[in-house]
Amino acid sequence: MLSPNFTTSYTHFAQNLATMIVPTLFGSLAALASCVAAQSNSSQVLVVDQKSFNVLTPVPPPSQANLTTIFVPPGITLNDATAKPFHVYDNAFHDIIGPNPTLTLIARQDVNPLFHEAVVYPPTDEVFFVQNAGAKDAGTGLNKSNIIQKISLSQAAGVASLRNASGQVQVQTVNATPPVINSNGQPPFAAFYLSKLMKLPGATLYRGQIVFTGEGQGNNTAPALYVVNPRPPYNSTILVNNYFGRQWNSLNDVAINPRNGDVYFTDTLYGYLQNFRPGPELPNQVYRYNPSTGAVTTVADGFELPNGITFSPNGSYAYVTDTGAQYSNFGYNMTAPASIYQYTVLADGTFDNRKLFTYVSPGIPDGIHCDTEGNVYSGVGDGVQVWNPSGTLLGKIFLGTTSANFNFAGKGGLVICAETELYYASIAAEGAIVESQLPPQ
Ligand SMILES: *[C@@H]1O[C@H](CO)[C@@H](O)[C@H](O)[C@H]1NC(C)=O
Ligand SMILES: *[C@@H]1O[C@H](CO)[C@@H](O)[C@H](O)[C@H]1NC(C)=O
Ligand SMILES: *[C@@H]1O[C@H](CO)[C@@H](O)[C@H](O)[C@H]1NC(C)=O
Ligand SMILES: *[C@@H]1O[C@H](CO)[C@@H](O)[C@H](O)[C@H]1NC(C)=O
Ligand SMILES: *[C@@H]1O[C@H](CO)[C@@H](O)[C@H](O)[C@H]1NC(C)=O
Ligand SMILES: *[C@@H]1O[C@H](CO)[C@@H](O)[C@H](O)[C@H]1NC(C)=O
Ligand SMILES: *[C@@H]1O[C@H](CO)[C@@H](O)[C@H](O)[C@H]1NC(C)=O
Ligand SMILES: *[C@@H]1O[C@H](CO)[C@@H](O)[C@H](O)[C@H]1NC(C)=O
């Protein structure tokens, strides 16, 4: 009897809740809401009984329910699901969100996907994020730089009790002018297509600075790893921009292993798939950069489109997302991976024991981070989902729209990019790798 509430609303790049969600079965299912046990005293928590959707009648065909489709269990309307965004799929999620989790809308754009990726948390009490410059709605073609913006974390935390604080937190564009063009003549910080920025690594080389991946632009700006000063004038230095003289395809994400301080990063095809890079000349792989010796080594292949990368709290596991199902301007391949793989990191820093951690639904797993307990968080087609280290879904921070990336920011804070929307979540869990835990270089 129960029909699931499916909604077509998802594509990875540049779409938003307001324009895309097609209300479906709302009213008719409201009466069934009592099927779902509510156990929390927080008005923003929804407890989902997974048995409530083990048997659906009917199970809709692929033309109606597939990778791009937001799924809400029967008896829950999409309105309920977004009004109570903390969805508990396993009791362990209560410990993660704490007794009083809150989600706050901080900023919203009509179309332009300004809130795509990055969200780093440099020592300036600011969170930086970048535009999805490859998205069609970014508007101005190949020449458009990623726009970099920032918010103050304390301002965001100050409005955490509100559901909608849009307009109350100042979103500042990071002013790259006067640009500091460094001695190698590289263009300024904001002149690149940026991919993901990351939290500070611990290596002395980067202390107090941000490291990020640049996706490259055209034939003449090679993808590269950059270190950026998080304070004006936001000057940057290239760490490495080639593999034995060859351009990478399009660097996407970067993580520092807390045990050895090395910089691990993914190379993938999105620059080409978004029409701002030439066709690929290397397999899509995971690389490792040793800042002491300058050595670049390969650590993992066999991906369709490797994307996000992170490490468990003590660095013994690596997680790499594969977004092969999303060919961007070329559409979807629904039988390709939308998956997270787990590796054991050996004492010498190499990867072993590739294992399917989880295939996500809906959408594709993009940015990825662990909390201090080793739980794994990834931005997917309906928000941020959280799994335990065995790959069991514990719960969701449900936005009803795609989150490409997010990051822990301060104690119990989570800043979530959702293309045209920017959110701040206040929960109990904390991000895994804090600078002070990292070994000195
Ligand atoms: C996937 O499902 C949506 C409805 O949620 C539909 O609009 C779309 O056409 C489907 N895609 C395919 C390839 O069937
Ligand atoms: C309810 O909320 C209060 C205060 O926020 C908290 O102390 C208490 O533990 C919560 N109870 C449950 C069952 O979550
Ligand atoms: C990009 O900028 C260059 C130099 O400013 C200009 O010559 C070129 O026409 C621009 N290309 C596009 C697609 O806007
Ligand atoms: C949030 O607040 C802003 C400013 O008051 C308003 O324009 C917008 O419609 C609100 N958005 C939602 C989703 O309520
Ligand atoms: C790169 O250069 C090749 C060869 O000149 C050209 O065909 C291609 O269009 C260029 N691609 C981009 C993205 O500029
Ligand atoms: C930025 O410039 C300052 C002053 O020249 C320099 O000390 C610092 O290393 C630079 N940072 C980066 C990331 O290039
Ligand atoms: C790292 O943490 C894992 C659990 O995530 C544990 O099994 C392992 O023993 C730890 N390794 C070290 C070297 O502490
Ligand atoms: C889709 O992905 C699968 C798995 O990677 C691959 O075997 C298949 O050839 C792809 N299909 C297309 C049309 O690219």
Side-chain angles (χ1 to χ4, degrees), residues 83-107:
K84 296 170 179 284
F86 297 93
H87 296 185
V88 179
Y89 279 74
D90 185 294
N91 280 335
F93 199 53
H94 285 294
D95 294 335
I96 289 172
I97 57 178
N100 195 23
T102 57
L103 182 73
T104 303
L105 176 66
I106 300 242

mmCIF file with all atom_site columns, all heavy atoms in Angstrom, residues 83-107:
data_model
loop_
_atom_site.group_PDB
_atom_site.id
_atom_site.type_symbol
_atom_site.label_atom_id
_atom_site.label_alt_id
_atom_site.label_comp_id
_atom_site.label_asym_id
_atom_site.label_entity_id
_atom_site.label_seq_id
_atom_site.pdbx_PDB_ins_code
_atom_site.Cartn_x
_atom_site.Cartn_y
_atom_site.Cartn_z
_atom_site.occupancy
_atom_site.B_iso_or_equiv
_atom_site.pdbx_formal_charge
_atom_site.auth_seq_id
_atom_site.auth_comp_id
_atom_site.auth_asym_id
_atom_site.auth_atom_id
_atom_site.pdbx_PDB_model_num
ATOM 1   N N   . ALA A 1 83  ? 11.924 19.895 6.460  1.00 0.00 ? 83  ALA A N   1
ATOM 2   C CA  . ALA A 1 83  ? 11.686 20.615 7.718  1.00 0.00 ? 83  ALA A CA  1
ATOM 3   C C   . ALA A 1 83  ? 12.459 19.971 8.869  1.00 0.00 ? 83  ALA A C   1
ATOM 4   O O   . ALA A 1 83  ? 12.858 20.641 9.816  1.00 0.00 ? 83  ALA A O   1
ATOM 5   C CB  . ALA A 1 83  ? 10.195 20.632 8.050  1.00 0.00 ? 83  ALA A CB  1
ATOM 6   N N   . LYS A 1 84  ? 12.626 18.655 8.791  1.00 0.00 ? 84  LYS A N   1
ATOM 7   C CA  . LYS A 1 84  ? 13.389 17.907 9.793  1.00 0.00 ? 84  LYS A CA  1
ATOM 8   C C   . LYS A 1 84  ? 14.578 17.280 9.085  1.00 0.00 ? 84  LYS A C   1
ATOM 9   O O   . LYS A 1 84  ? 14.565 16.106 8.732  1.00 0.00 ? 84  LYS A O   1
ATOM 10  C CB  . LYS A 1 84  ? 12.516 16.821 10.415 1.00 0.00 ? 84  LYS A CB  1
ATOM 11  C CG  . LYS A 1 84  ? 11.314 17.332 11.191 1.00 0.00 ? 84  LYS A CG  1
ATOM 12  C CD  . LYS A 1 84  ? 10.406 16.154 11.548 1.00 0.00 ? 84  LYS A CD  1
ATOM 13  C CE  . LYS A 1 84  ? 9.197  16.596 12.347 1.00 0.00 ? 84  LYS A CE  1
ATOM 14  N NZ  . LYS A 1 84  ? 9.495  16.889 13.751 1.00 0.00 ? 84  LYS A NZ  1
ATOM 15  N N   . PRO A 1 85  ? 15.639 18.066 8.833  1.00 0.00 ? 85  PRO A N   1
ATOM 16  C CA  . PRO A 1 85  ? 16.691 17.604 7.926  1.00 0.00 ? 85  PRO A CA  1
ATOM 17  C C   . PRO A 1 85  ? 17.634 16.543 8.500  1.00 0.00 ? 85  PRO A C   1
ATOM 18  O O   . PRO A 1 85  ? 18.377 15.935 7.740  1.00 0.00 ? 85  PRO A O   1
ATOM 19  C CB  . PRO A 1 85  ? 17.455 18.896 7.612  1.00 0.00 ? 85  PRO A CB  1
ATOM 20  C CG  . PRO A 1 85  ? 17.192 19.788 8.770  1.00 0.00 ? 85  PRO A CG  1
ATOM 21  C CD  . PRO A 1 85  ? 15.832 19.452 9.262  1.00 0.00 ? 85  PRO A CD  1
ATOM 22  N N   . PHE A 1 86  ? 17.597 16.321 9.817  1.00 0.00 ? 86  PHE A N   1
ATOM 23  C CA  . PHE A 1 86  ? 18.504 15.306 10.391 1.00 0.00 ? 86  PHE A CA  1
ATOM 24  C C   . PHE A 1 86  ? 17.776 13.965 10.418 1.00 0.00 ? 86  PHE A C   1
ATOM 25  O O   . PHE A 1 86  ? 16.951 13.713 11.297 1.00 0.00 ? 86  PHE A O   1
ATOM 26  C CB  . PHE A 1 86  ? 18.984 15.743 11.781 1.00 0.00 ? 86  PHE A CB  1
ATOM 27  C CG  . PHE A 1 86  ? 19.781 17.011 11.727 1.00 0.00 ? 86  PHE A CG  1
ATOM 28  C CD1 . PHE A 1 86  ? 19.169 18.246 11.901 1.00 0.00 ? 86  PHE A CD1 1
ATOM 29  C CD2 . PHE A 1 86  ? 21.147 16.983 11.455 1.00 0.00 ? 86  PHE A CD2 1
ATOM 30  C CE1 . PHE A 1 86  ? 19.901 19.431 11.813 1.00 0.00 ? 86  PHE A CE1 1
ATOM 31  C CE2 . PHE A 1 86  ? 21.884 18.156 11.363 1.00 0.00 ? 86  PHE A CE2 1
ATOM 32  C CZ  . PHE A 1 86  ? 21.257 19.379 11.542 1.00 0.00 ? 86  PHE A CZ  1
ATOM 33  N N   . HIS A 1 87  ? 18.074 13.123 9.434  1.00 0.00 ? 87  HIS A N   1
ATOM 34  C CA  . HIS A 1 87  ? 17.363 11.856 9.285  1.00 0.00 ? 87  HIS A CA  1
ATOM 35  C C   . HIS A 1 87  ? 18.169 10.738 9.931  1.00 0.00 ? 87  HIS A C   1
ATOM 36  O O   . HIS A 1 87  ? 19.280 10.435 9.492  1.00 0.00 ? 87  HIS A O   1
ATOM 37  C CB  . HIS A 1 87  ? 17.137 11.539 7.808  1.00 0.00 ? 87  HIS A CB  1
ATOM 38  C CG  . HIS A 1 87  ? 16.250 12.516 7.103  1.00 0.00 ? 87  HIS A CG  1
ATOM 39  N ND1 . HIS A 1 87  ? 15.839 12.347 5.795  1.00 0.00 ? 87  HIS A ND1 1
ATOM 40  C CD2 . HIS A 1 87  ? 15.676 13.672 7.529  1.00 0.00 ? 87  HIS A CD2 1
ATOM 41  C CE1 . HIS A 1 87  ? 15.058 13.368 5.446  1.00 0.00 ? 87  HIS A CE1 1
ATOM 42  N NE2 . HIS A 1 87  ? 14.959 14.185 6.479  1.00 0.00 ? 87  HIS A NE2 1
ATOM 43  N N   . VAL A 1 88  ? 17.588 10.130 10.942 1.00 0.00 ? 88  VAL A N   1
ATOM 44  C CA  . VAL A 1 88  ? 18.276 9.061  11.678 1.00 0.00 ? 88  VAL A CA  1
ATOM 45  C C   . VAL A 1 88  ? 17.922 7.721  11.043 1.00 0.00 ? 88  VAL A C   1
ATOM 46  O O   . VAL A 1 88  ? 16.770 7.300  11.065 1.00 0.00 ? 88  VAL A O   1
ATOM 47  C CB  . VAL A 1 88  ? 17.850 9.067  13.158 1.00 0.00 ? 88  VAL A CB  1
ATOM 48  C CG1 . VAL A 1 88  ? 18.548 7.940  13.920 1.00 0.00 ? 88  VAL A CG1 1
ATOM 49  C CG2 . VAL A 1 88  ? 18.144 10.421 13.799 1.00 0.00 ? 88  VAL A CG2 1
ATOM 50  N N   . TYR A 1 89  ? 18.914 7.052  10.435 1.00 0.00 ? 89  TYR A N   1
ATOM 51  C CA  . TYR A 1 89  ? 18.695 5.717  9.877  1.00 0.00 ? 89  TYR A CA  1
ATOM 52  C C   . TYR A 1 89  ? 19.199 4.645  10.837 1.00 0.00 ? 89  TYR A C   1
ATOM 53  O O   . TYR A 1 89  ? 18.863 3.478  10.698 1.00 0.00 ? 89  TYR A O   1
ATOM 54  C CB  . TYR A 1 89  ? 19.384 5.578  8.506  1.00 0.00 ? 89  TYR A CB  1
ATOM 55  C CG  . TYR A 1 89  ? 18.567 6.178  7.385  1.00 0.00 ? 89  TYR A CG  1
ATOM 56  C CD1 . TYR A 1 89  ? 18.470 7.558  7.234  1.00 0.00 ? 89  TYR A CD1 1
ATOM 57  C CD2 . TYR A 1 89  ? 17.862 5.370  6.489  1.00 0.00 ? 89  TYR A CD2 1
ATOM 58  C CE1 . TYR A 1 89  ? 17.702 8.114  6.217  1.00 0.00 ? 89  TYR A CE1 1
ATOM 59  C CE2 . TYR A 1 89  ? 17.096 5.916  5.477  1.00 0.00 ? 89  TYR A CE2 1
ATOM 60  C CZ  . TYR A 1 89  ? 17.008 7.284  5.337  1.00 0.00 ? 89  TYR A CZ  1
ATOM 61  O OH  . TYR A 1 89  ? 16.243 7.832  4.342  1.00 0.00 ? 89  TYR A OH  1
ATOM 62  N N   . ASP A 1 90  ? 20.056 5.012  11.777 1.00 0.00 ? 90  ASP A N   1
ATOM 63  C CA  . ASP A 1 90  ? 20.620 4.071  12.741 1.00 0.00 ? 90  ASP A CA  1
ATOM 64  C C   . ASP A 1 90  ? 20.785 4.854  14.045 1.00 0.00 ? 90  ASP A C   1
ATOM 65  O O   . ASP A 1 90  ? 21.161 6.031  14.026 1.00 0.00 ? 90  ASP A O   1
ATOM 66  C CB  . ASP A 1 90  ? 21.979 3.586  12.218 1.00 0.00 ? 90  ASP A CB  1
ATOM 67  C CG  . ASP A 1 90  ? 22.614 2.512  13.082 1.00 0.00 ? 90  ASP A CG  1
ATOM 68  O OD1 . ASP A 1 90  ? 22.981 2.815  14.243 1.00 0.00 ? 90  ASP A OD1 1
ATOM 69  O OD2 . ASP A 1 90  ? 22.761 1.382  12.594 1.00 0.00 ? 90  ASP A OD2 1
ATOM 70  N N   . ASN A 1 91  ? 20.525 4.190  15.181 1.00 0.00 ? 91  ASN A N   1
ATOM 71  C CA  . ASN A 1 91  ? 20.577 4.898  16.467 1.00 0.00 ? 91  ASN A CA  1
ATOM 72  C C   . ASN A 1 91  ? 21.906 5.591  16.718 1.00 0.00 ? 91  ASN A C   1
ATOM 73  O O   . ASN A 1 91  ? 21.965 6.589  17.449 1.00 0.00 ? 91  ASN A O   1
ATOM 74  C CB  . ASN A 1 91  ? 20.276 3.933  17.617 1.00 0.00 ? 91  ASN A CB  1
ATOM 75  C CG  . ASN A 1 91  ? 18.777 3.700  17.752 1.00 0.00 ? 91  ASN A CG  1
ATOM 76  O OD1 . ASN A 1 91  ? 17.985 4.561  17.348 1.00 0.00 ? 91  ASN A OD1 1
ATOM 77  N ND2 . ASN A 1 91  ? 18.394 2.553  18.281 1.00 0.00 ? 91  ASN A ND2 1
ATOM 78  N N   . ALA A 1 92  ? 22.980 5.058  16.127 1.00 0.00 ? 92  ALA A N   1
ATOM 79  C CA  . ALA A 1 92  ? 24.298 5.670  16.330 1.00 0.00 ? 92  ALA A CA  1
ATOM 80  C C   . ALA A 1 92  ? 24.329 7.120  15.834 1.00 0.00 ? 92  ALA A C   1
ATOM 81  O O   . ALA A 1 92  ? 25.184 7.902  16.249 1.00 0.00 ? 92  ALA A O   1
ATOM 82  C CB  . ALA A 1 92  ? 25.374 4.854  15.618 1.00 0.00 ? 92  ALA A CB  1
ATOM 83  N N   . PHE A 1 93  ? 23.379 7.480  14.953 1.00 0.00 ? 93  PHE A N   1
ATOM 84  C CA  . PHE A 1 93  ? 23.369 8.842  14.418 1.00 0.00 ? 93  PHE A CA  1
ATOM 85  C C   . PHE A 1 93  ? 22.992 9.860  15.502 1.00 0.00 ? 93  PHE A C   1
ATOM 86  O O   . PHE A 1 93  ? 23.363 11.030 15.408 1.00 0.00 ? 93  PHE A O   1
ATOM 87  C CB  . PHE A 1 93  ? 22.420 8.938  13.224 1.00 0.00 ? 93  PHE A CB  1
ATOM 88  C CG  . PHE A 1 93  ? 22.664 10.133 12.329 1.00 0.00 ? 93  PHE A CG  1
ATOM 89  C CD1 . PHE A 1 93  ? 23.925 10.388 11.806 1.00 0.00 ? 93  PHE A CD1 1
ATOM 90  C CD2 . PHE A 1 93  ? 21.637 11.009 11.999 1.00 0.00 ? 93  PHE A CD2 1
ATOM 91  C CE1 . PHE A 1 93  ? 24.161 11.490 10.973 1.00 0.00 ? 93  PHE A CE1 1
ATOM 92  C CE2 . PHE A 1 93  ? 21.855 12.107 11.163 1.00 0.00 ? 93  PHE A CE2 1
ATOM 93  C CZ  . PHE A 1 93  ? 23.112 12.343 10.659 1.00 0.00 ? 93  PHE A CZ  1
ATOM 94  N N   . HIS A 1 94  ? 22.254 9.403  16.532 1.00 0.00 ? 94  HIS A N   1
ATOM 95  C CA  . HIS A 1 94  ? 21.904 10.328 17.623 1.00 0.00 ? 94  HIS A CA  1
ATOM 96  C C   . HIS A 1 94  ? 23.159 10.886 18.284 1.00 0.00 ? 94  HIS A C   1
ATOM 97  O O   . HIS A 1 94  ? 23.212 12.057 18.660 1.00 0.00 ? 94  HIS A O   1
ATOM 98  C CB  . HIS A 1 94  ? 21.036 9.614  18.665 1.00 0.00 ? 94  HIS A CB  1
ATOM 99  C CG  . HIS A 1 94  ? 19.619 9.402  18.217 1.00 0.00 ? 94  HIS A CG  1
ATOM 100 N ND1 . HIS A 1 94  ? 18.736 10.439 18.002 1.00 0.00 ? 94  HIS A ND1 1
ATOM 101 C CD2 . HIS A 1 94  ? 18.936 8.274  17.923 1.00 0.00 ? 94  HIS A CD2 1
ATOM 102 C CE1 . HIS A 1 94  ? 17.568 9.960  17.612 1.00 0.00 ? 94  HIS A CE1 1
ATOM 103 N NE2 . HIS A 1 94  ? 17.663 8.636  17.550 1.00 0.00 ? 94  HIS A NE2 1
ATOM 104 N N   . ASP A 1 95  ? 24.184 10.041 18.444 1.00 0.00 ? 95  ASP A N   1
ATOM 105 C CA  . ASP A 1 95  ? 25.429 10.509 19.069 1.00 0.00 ? 95  ASP A CA  1
ATOM 106 C C   . ASP A 1 95  ? 26.148 11.515 18.170 1.00 0.00 ? 95  ASP A C   1
ATOM 107 O O   . ASP A 1 95  ? 26.848 12.406 18.652 1.00 0.00 ? 95  ASP A O   1
ATOM 108 C CB  . ASP A 1 95  ? 26.376 9.328  19.330 1.00 0.00 ? 95  ASP A CB  1
ATOM 109 C CG  . ASP A 1 95  ? 25.803 8.389  20.375 1.00 0.00 ? 95  ASP A CG  1
ATOM 110 O OD1 . ASP A 1 95  ? 24.988 8.856  21.192 1.00 0.00 ? 95  ASP A OD1 1
ATOM 111 O OD2 . ASP A 1 95  ? 26.155 7.193  20.352 1.00 0.00 ? 95  ASP A OD2 1
ATOM 112 N N   . ILE A 1 96  ? 26.013 11.322 16.872 1.00 0.00 ? 96  ILE A N   1
ATOM 113 C CA  . ILE A 1 96  ? 26.684 12.210 15.927 1.00 0.00 ? 96  ILE A CA  1
ATOM 114 C C   . ILE A 1 96  ? 26.033 13.590 15.907 1.00 0.00 ? 96  ILE A C   1
ATOM 115 O O   . ILE A 1 96  ? 26.710 14.617 15.912 1.00 0.00 ? 96  ILE A O   1
ATOM 116 C CB  . ILE A 1 96  ? 26.682 11.568 14.521 1.00 0.00 ? 96  ILE A CB  1
ATOM 117 C CG1 . ILE A 1 96  ? 27.658 10.386 14.523 1.00 0.00 ? 96  ILE A CG1 1
ATOM 118 C CG2 . ILE A 1 96  ? 27.023 12.572 13.437 1.00 0.00 ? 96  ILE A CG2 1
ATOM 119 C CD1 . ILE A 1 96  ? 27.636 9.549  13.280 1.00 0.00 ? 96  ILE A CD1 1
ATOM 120 N N   . ILE A 1 97  ? 24.707 13.622 15.909 1.00 0.00 ? 97  ILE A N   1
ATOM 121 C CA  . ILE A 1 97  ? 24.032 14.923 15.810 1.00 0.00 ? 97  ILE A CA  1
ATOM 122 C C   . ILE A 1 97  ? 23.802 15.566 17.175 1.00 0.00 ? 97  ILE A C   1
ATOM 123 O O   . ILE A 1 97  ? 23.598 16.769 17.264 1.00 0.00 ? 97  ILE A O   1
ATOM 124 C CB  . ILE A 1 97  ? 22.701 14.823 15.026 1.00 0.00 ? 97  ILE A CB  1
ATOM 125 C CG1 . ILE A 1 97  ? 21.752 13.807 15.656 1.00 0.00 ? 97  ILE A CG1 1
ATOM 126 C CG2 . ILE A 1 97  ? 22.989 14.487 13.571 1.00 0.00 ? 97  ILE A CG2 1
ATOM 127 C CD1 . ILE A 1 97  ? 20.408 13.693 14.946 1.00 0.00 ? 97  ILE A CD1 1
ATOM 128 N N   . GLY A 1 98  ? 23.843 14.750 18.234 1.00 0.00 ? 98  GLY A N   1
ATOM 129 C CA  . GLY A 1 98  ? 23.616 15.306 19.564 1.00 0.00 ? 98  GLY A CA  1
ATOM 130 C C   . GLY A 1 98  ? 22.141 15.599 19.784 1.00 0.00 ? 98  GLY A C   1
ATOM 131 O O   . GLY A 1 98  ? 21.313 15.411 18.886 1.00 0.00 ? 98  GLY A O   1
ATOM 132 N N   . PRO A 1 99  ? 21.786 16.089 20.983 1.00 0.00 ? 99  PRO A N   1
ATOM 133 C CA  . PRO A 1 99  ? 20.368 16.260 21.326 1.00 0.00 ? 99  PRO A CA  1
ATOM 134 C C   . PRO A 1 99  ? 19.685 17.402 20.590 1.00 0.00 ? 99  PRO A C   1
ATOM 135 O O   . PRO A 1 99  ? 18.477 17.415 20.464 1.00 0.00 ? 99  PRO A O   1
ATOM 136 C CB  . PRO A 1 99  ? 20.397 16.534 22.836 1.00 0.00 ? 99  PRO A CB  1
ATOM 137 C CG  . PRO A 1 99  ? 21.777 17.025 23.114 1.00 0.00 ? 99  PRO A CG  1
ATOM 138 C CD  . PRO A 1 99  ? 22.675 16.366 22.120 1.00 0.00 ? 99  PRO A CD  1
ATOM 139 N N   . ASN A 1 100 ? 20.447 18.344 20.101 1.00 0.00 ? 100 ASN A N   1
ATOM 140 C CA  . ASN A 1 100 ? 19.786 19.531 19.552 1.00 0.00 ? 100 ASN A CA  1
ATOM 141 C C   . ASN A 1 100 ? 20.450 20.031 18.270 1.00 0.00 ? 100 ASN A C   1
ATOM 142 O O   . ASN A 1 100 ? 20.947 21.152 18.219 1.00 0.00 ? 100 ASN A O   1
ATOM 143 C CB  . ASN A 1 100 ? 19.791 20.632 20.632 1.00 0.00 ? 100 ASN A CB  1
ATOM 144 C CG  . ASN A 1 100 ? 18.821 21.737 20.292 1.00 0.00 ? 100 ASN A CG  1
ATOM 145 O OD1 . ASN A 1 100 ? 17.870 21.536 19.527 1.00 0.00 ? 100 ASN A OD1 1
ATOM 146 N ND2 . ASN A 1 100 ? 19.074 22.922 20.823 1.00 0.00 ? 100 ASN A ND2 1
ATOM 147 N N   . PRO A 1 101 ? 20.465 19.191 17.219 1.00 0.00 ? 101 PRO A N   1
ATOM 148 C CA  . PRO A 1 101 ? 21.117 19.628 15.981 1.00 0.00 ? 101 PRO A CA  1
ATOM 149 C C   . PRO A 1 101 ? 20.308 20.727 15.289 1.00 0.00 ? 101 PRO A C   1
ATOM 150 O O   . PRO A 1 101 ? 19.080 20.754 15.400 1.00 0.00 ? 101 PRO A O   1
ATOM 151 C CB  . PRO A 1 101 ? 21.109 18.358 15.123 1.00 0.00 ? 101 PRO A CB  1
ATOM 152 C CG  . PRO A 1 101 ? 19.908 17.614 15.590 1.00 0.00 ? 101 PRO A CG  1
ATOM 153 C CD  . PRO A 1 101 ? 19.818 17.882 17.071 1.00 0.00 ? 101 PRO A CD  1
ATOM 154 N N   . THR A 1 102 ? 20.999 21.612 14.595 1.00 0.00 ? 102 THR A N   1
ATOM 155 C CA  . THR A 1 102 ? 20.299 22.670 13.864 1.00 0.00 ? 102 THR A CA  1
ATOM 156 C C   . THR A 1 102 ? 20.917 22.830 12.471 1.00 0.00 ? 102 THR A C   1
ATOM 157 O O   . THR A 1 102 ? 22.114 22.627 12.292 1.00 0.00 ? 102 THR A O   1
ATOM 158 C CB  . THR A 1 102 ? 20.397 24.025 14.589 1.00 0.00 ? 102 THR A CB  1
ATOM 159 O OG1 . THR A 1 102 ? 21.783 24.349 14.772 1.00 0.00 ? 102 THR A OG1 1
ATOM 160 C CG2 . THR A 1 102 ? 19.700 24.000 15.938 1.00 0.00 ? 102 THR A CG2 1
ATOM 161 N N   . LEU A 1 103 ? 20.074 23.182 11.534 1.00 0.00 ? 103 LEU A N   1
ATOM 162 C CA  . LEU A 1 103 ? 20.531 23.480 10.173 1.00 0.00 ? 103 LEU A CA  1
ATOM 163 C C   . LEU A 1 103 ? 20.058 24.882 9.812  1.00 0.00 ? 103 LEU A C   1
ATOM 164 O O   . LEU A 1 103 ? 18.887 25.221 10.012 1.00 0.00 ? 103 LEU A O   1
ATOM 165 C CB  . LEU A 1 103 ? 19.952 22.474 9.175  1.00 0.00 ? 103 LEU A CB  1
ATOM 166 C CG  . LEU A 1 103 ? 20.417 22.671 7.728  1.00 0.00 ? 103 LEU A CG  1
ATOM 167 C CD1 . LEU A 1 103 ? 21.873 22.241 7.572  1.00 0.00 ? 103 LEU A CD1 1
ATOM 168 C CD2 . LEU A 1 103 ? 19.540 21.877 6.756  1.00 0.00 ? 103 LEU A CD2 1
ATOM 169 N N   . THR A 1 104 ? 20.963 25.680 9.311  1.00 0.00 ? 104 THR A N   1
ATOM 170 C CA  . THR A 1 104 ? 20.649 27.079 9.005  1.00 0.00 ? 104 THR A CA  1
ATOM 171 C C   . THR A 1 104 ? 21.029 27.402 7.565  1.00 0.00 ? 104 THR A C   1
ATOM 172 O O   . THR A 1 104 ? 22.153 27.130 7.143  1.00 0.00 ? 104 THR A O   1
ATOM 173 C CB  . THR A 1 104 ? 21.447 28.009 9.951  1.00 0.00 ? 104 THR A CB  1
ATOM 174 O OG1 . THR A 1 104 ? 21.140 27.668 11.294 1.00 0.00 ? 104 THR A OG1 1
ATOM 175 C CG2 . THR A 1 104 ? 21.114 29.465 9.709  1.00 0.00 ? 104 THR A CG2 1
ATOM 176 N N   . LEU A 1 105 ? 20.100 27.970 6.833  1.00 0.00 ? 105 LEU A N   1
ATOM 177 C CA  . LEU A 1 105 ? 20.408 28.483 5.504  1.00 0.00 ? 105 LEU A CA  1
ATOM 178 C C   . LEU A 1 105 ? 21.135 29.807 5.671  1.00 0.00 ? 105 LEU A C   1
ATOM 179 O O   . LEU A 1 105 ? 20.616 30.733 6.289  1.00 0.00 ? 105 LEU A O   1
ATOM 180 C CB  . LEU A 1 105 ? 19.114 28.684 4.698  1.00 0.00 ? 105 LEU A CB  1
ATOM 181 C CG  . LEU A 1 105 ? 19.265 29.312 3.310  1.00 0.00 ? 105 LEU A CG  1
ATOM 182 C CD1 . LEU A 1 105 ? 20.030 28.392 2.366  1.00 0.00 ? 105 LEU A CD1 1
ATOM 183 C CD2 . LEU A 1 105 ? 17.896 29.651 2.719  1.00 0.00 ? 105 LEU A CD2 1
ATOM 184 N N   . ILE A 1 106 ? 22.346 29.884 5.138  1.00 0.00 ? 106 ILE A N   1
ATOM 185 C CA  . ILE A 1 106 ? 23.163 31.087 5.341  1.00 0.00 ? 106 ILE A CA  1
ATOM 186 C C   . ILE A 1 106 ? 23.074 32.029 4.149  1.00 0.00 ? 106 ILE A C   1
ATOM 187 O O   . ILE A 1 106 ? 23.151 33.240 4.293  1.00 0.00 ? 106 ILE A O   1
ATOM 188 C CB  . ILE A 1 106 ? 24.631 30.684 5.522  1.00 0.00 ? 106 ILE A CB  1
ATOM 189 C CG1 . ILE A 1 106 ? 24.755 29.772 6.717  1.00 0.00 ? 106 ILE A CG1 1
ATOM 190 C CG2 . ILE A 1 106 ? 25.550 31.876 5.561  1.00 0.00 ? 106 ILE A CG2 1
ATOM 191 C CD1 . ILE A 1 106 ? 25.594 30.292 7.787  1.00 0.00 ? 106 ILE A CD1 1
ATOM 192 N N   . ALA A 1 107 ? 23.005 31.442 2.964  1.00 0.00 ? 107 ALA A N   1
ATOM 193 C CA  . ALA A 1 107 ? 22.979 32.296 1.778  1.00 0.00 ? 107 ALA A CA  1
ATOM 194 C C   . ALA A 1 107 ? 22.371 31.522 0.628  1.00 0.00 ? 107 ALA A C   1
ATOM 195 O O   . ALA A 1 107 ? 22.401 30.302 0.588  1.00 0.00 ? 107 ALA A O   1
ATOM 196 C CB  . ALA A 1 107 ? 24.390 32.761 1.412  1.00 0.00 ? 107 ALA A CB  1
#
